[in-house]
Amino acid sequence: MKTKEEYIASLRKLNLEVYILGEKIGNVVDHPIIKPSVECIAATYELAEKKGNSEIMTAISHLTGKRINRFCHIHRNTHDLVSKSKMGRGLGVYTGSCFQRCVGMDALNTLSIITYNIDQKHQTEYYKRFLKYLQYIQDEDLVCCGAMTDAKGDRSLHPAEQTDPDQYLHVVKERKGGIIVRGNKLHQTGATNSHEIICMPTRAMREEDKDYAISFALPSDTKGIIYIYGRQSCDTRKAEGDEIDTGNILYSGQECMVVFNDVFVPWERVFMYKEYEFTADFVEKFAAYHRQSYSCKSGIGDVLIGASQLIAEYQGIAKASHIRDRITEMIHLNETMMCCSLACAHEGHQEPSGTFFVNTLWANVSKLNVTRFPYEISRLAQEIAGGSLVTMPSEKDFKNPKIGKFVEKYLKGVEGVKSEDRMRTLRLIENITLGTGAVCYLTESMHGAGSPQAQKIMITRESNLERMKTAAKRLCGIES
């Protein structure tokens, strides 16, 4: 397995075409806006090295028998699924941010199911290709960016009906050694911090859409792939040279628009090619896996609850009954999210390929809770924090030789607590509920792995209403 230092060194070897704030950059590792997100993924390597973490952060490869990072592992039993949920929460606590690596793990596990199923029907060799690719990922301990979401253009139209065919990633033409693809993938978490990008279909497709029914993997610096870095609230604070005002002084996430400008994909890297009838199952499998992955929000919730308790103590209100009540409610909501993630893991089952898959109904219940609860936890955190959360002067004011003494004097809380500590805690709450941290804690909770309506559709589909009706009829004497 790679060390944290080896991972960072491996990023320096990539030749990515990246644009941020309108400028092309050559070094993603040291760019002040990107660097905290690099450190966040690096934490997945750092914690895998530490003694006592092997049960959660690592696993034994079913291909080679070697110990590997769990993010490169294919789930072989429900214990693996449970460990995945616990790993997500643990990393959420450690980083207080999006560690960007779960989407690649979910893509690998989905491919291990879908490629096998396609082969069973069409006598193709996708599963064989995938296993070869998987061993490469495991041997090199690589970060994969799982890319599903297309721009979609006019959402009332199918892919083949779009005026601009590039609104969905599609095959442009075949060549002797592979295919040429064109299009995009949006909202790509950790894209510039990844070694590989795995593309998947974004929706169920018809025969007319078969040119869009493709899945493949490429090195992230393949010629023709362009990364346009996503703008985030308060993102330039990371480039200002101050520390307090960033809130989370160590880590952050990242999202990118990824453009495929006539990119060549060799056949050995193609895992689905026009088998449109498997796209619906592909999307549903990946979505369920990824909805389980939102156990990380309970980890970030732990950080936010801790910061809320701290600021209550710093401001002398921690013993007030209404504050204790709000902290308890935050804990209740946070643990409910984690319980659902664990439940869908415990109730997992084995697919024909041997890969273990989560309980689809409970994975969707888990994610639907995630679309709501972080917002309520954030509201309660802001209520406890008070107005200084958004009116507090900057770190530069605090350090100014003339006015700094006033900032320190009037931001003082209880005796024995430094004004700076109060400022740091408020900035962390601001970061998670309003700033760059809110990208992964709030908006990603709403729209990542599908917006709320997608979960509601799956919950309705997976629930057995006929069984419930039969139970009701029996108890009130209606003949069935």
Side-chain angles (χ1 to χ4, degrees):
M1 296 185 293
K2 276 184 170 59
T3 65
K4 171 183 174 179
E5 293 72 25
E6 288 170 340
Y7 162 68
I8 293 174
S10 71
L11 290 187
R12 295 186 186 280
K13 298 176 183 178
L14 297 177
N15 184 27
L16 303 172
E17 185 175 354
V18 181
Y19 294 81
I20 183 168
L21 300 177
E23 296 183 1
K24 185 178 181 180
I25 62 171
N27 180 1
V28 299
V29 175
D30 298 317
H31 192 283
I33 292 179
I34 301 177
K35 185 176 180 180
S37 69
V38 174
E39 291 290 337
C40 209
I41 290 191
T44 69
Y45 290 93
E46 174 193 352
L47 294 187
E49 290 181 75
K50 289 190 175 181
K51 289 183 179 180
N53 289 344
S54 61
E55 181 70 16
I56 299 298
M57 292 296 303
T58 70
I60 301 299
S61 169
H62 74 291
L63 297 179
T64 64
K66 297 178 182 177
R67 185 164 294 279
I68 59 173
N69 196 297
R70 187 170 293 282
F71 283 105
C72 301
H73 183 54
I74 300 301
H75 313 305
R76 306 308 293 173
N77 45 54
T78 56
H79 174 75
D80 281 339
L81 292 171
V82 169
S83 296
K84 174 196 170 188
S85 289
K86 292 181 178 179
M87 176 176 69
R89 184 172 189 170
L91 280 163
V93 173
Y94 191 74
T95 65
S97 188
C98 176
F99 43 88
Q100 307 153 63
R101 208 172 172 187
C102 62
V103 66
M105 169 178 55
D106 296 335
L108 290 171
N109 277 273
T110 303
L111 280 171
S112 76
I113 295 172
I114 298 298
T115 54
Y116 183 90
N117 291 347
I118 296 175
D119 285 358
Q120 296 307 298
K121 180 177 180 180
H122 293 294
Q123 288 74 56
T124 45
E125 294 191 348
Y126 294 129
Y127 188 61
K128 181 180 178 181
R129 289 180 190 174
F130 168 73
L131 291 180
K132 182 178 180 181
Y133 176 72
L134 175 65
Q135 185 169 341
Y136 166 67
I137 296 299
Q138 292 181 349
D139 288 347
E140 299 299 323
D141 199 3
L142 301 182
V143 176
C144 298
C145 171
M148 176 167 276
T149 307
D150 295 78
K152 298 188 180 76
D154 184 341
R155 284 152 177 78
S156 69
L157 301 177
H158 289 278
E161 296 170 339
Q162 299 287 329
T163 303
D164 179 358
D166 299 341
Q167 293 299 320
Y168 287 81
L169 184 64
H170 63 109
V171 178
V172 176
K173 60 183 176 181
E174 292 184 20
R175 280 176 33 182
K176 183 179 180 181
I179 56 176
I180 304 293
V181 298
R182 184 189 303 156
N184 73 95
K185 292 291 180 182
L186 300 186
H187 323 308
Q188 291 314 299
T189 303
T192 72
N193 299 334
S194 300
H195 305 102
E196 293 276 325
I197 184 163
I198 301 173
C199 291
M200 300 168 281
T202 194
R203 59 175 292 175
M205 299 190 187
R206 314 160 303 161
E207 185 174 6
E208 299 93 317
D209 306 315
K210 63 183 180 181
D211 286 344
Y212 300 85
I214 54 174
S215 178
F216 59 85
L218 286 171
S220 55
D221 58 355
T222 299
K223 182 179 179 181
I225 301 180
I226 302 169
Y227 300 87
I228 306 173
Y229 205 85
R231 191 74 200 264
Q232 298 180 347
S233 175
C234 305
D235 54 4
T236 53
R237 288 190 187 184
K238 291 178 280 188
E240 291 173 0
D242 294 329
E243 181 179 273
I244 296 175
D245 287 348
T246 60
N248 185 335
I249 67 172
L250 300 175
Y251 305 107
S252 73
Q254 70 159 248
E255 313 291 334
C256 294
M257 174 187 291
V258 184
V259 177
F260 293 81
N261 189 26
D262 289 356
V263 177
F264 175 70
V265 185
W267 285 119
E268 61 267 22
R269 288 298 197 98
V270 176
F271 306 124
M272 169 188 273
Y273 187 62
K274 301 186 179 183
E275 291 85 9
Y276 64 90
E277 71 272 28
F278 286 89
T279 53
D281 195 37
F282 202 130
V283 173
E284 289 177 9
K285 289 283 192 300
F286 174 79
Y289 271 135
H290 203 41
R291 288 164 189 169
Q292 178 211 3
S293 292
Y294 279 65
S295 59
C296 63
K297 305 312 176 195
S298 291
I300 300 174
D302 287 336
V303 175
L304 184 54
I305 294 166
S308 300
Q309 178 66 27
L310 268 180
I311 202 64
E313 293 174 4
Y314 291 170
Q315 296 177 167
I317 59 174
K319 294 182 180 180
S321 61
H322 68 285
I323 297 298
R324 292 202 304 267
D325 180 74
R326 281 151 180 74
I327 293 290
T328 301
E329 178 64 8
M330 294 165 80
I331 294 170
H332 165 236
L333 294 171
N334 201 49
E335 296 302 331
T336 299
M337 290 191 293
M338 186 63 188
C339 288
C340 289
S341 180
L342 288 172
C344 74
H346 276 292
E347 293 298 308
H349 66 271
Q350 190 174 43
E351 290 284 319
S353 67
T355 301
F356 266 68
F357 182 58
V358 293
N359 179 289
T360 303
L361 174 60
W362 291 354
N364 280 274
V365 170
S366 177
K367 177 54 175 54
L368 189 58
N369 284 339
V370 171
T371 68
R372 301 172 181 174
F373 294 174
Y375 285 88
E376 179 62 8
I377 294 170
S378 294
R379 186 189 70 79
L380 293 168
Q382 290 185 3
E383 182 182 349
I384 293 168
S388 293
L389 186 71
V390 292
T391 65
M392 185 171 56
S394 72
E395 180 176 347
K396 285 183 170 62
D397 294 315
F398 178 64
K399 293 181 176 179
N400 181 282
K402 182 176 182 179
I403 63 173
K405 61 184 179 182
F406 298 118
V407 176
E408 183 173 12
K409 177 181 175 70
Y410 294 116
L411 286 181
K412 187 79 167 61
V414 300
E415 195 61 39
V417 174
K418 295 187 295 183
S419 299
E420 180 179 331
D421 290 348
R422 184 181 176 214
M423 291 178 68
R424 286 179 179 274
T425 307
L426 286 168
R427 287 299 185 204
L428 179 59
I429 295 172
E430 180 198 34
N431 172 273
I432 296 173
T433 66
L434 295 169
T436 53
V439 174
C440 69
Y441 188 57
L442 296 181
T443 310
E444 185 182 282
S445 291
M446 178 67 74
H447 293 291
S451 299
Q453 190 59 30
Q455 283 102 69
K456 291 178 180 179
I457 290 170
M458 289 304 298
I459 288 170
T460 301
R461 186 181 301 172
E462 293 293 320
S463 296
N464 190 340
L465 285 172
E466 291 303 316
R467 176 184 62 82
M468 299 176 195
K469 285 162 54 181
T470 298
K473 286 179 178 180
R474 171 180 169 271
L475 291 174
C476 68
I478 297 175
E479 292 187 10
S480 178

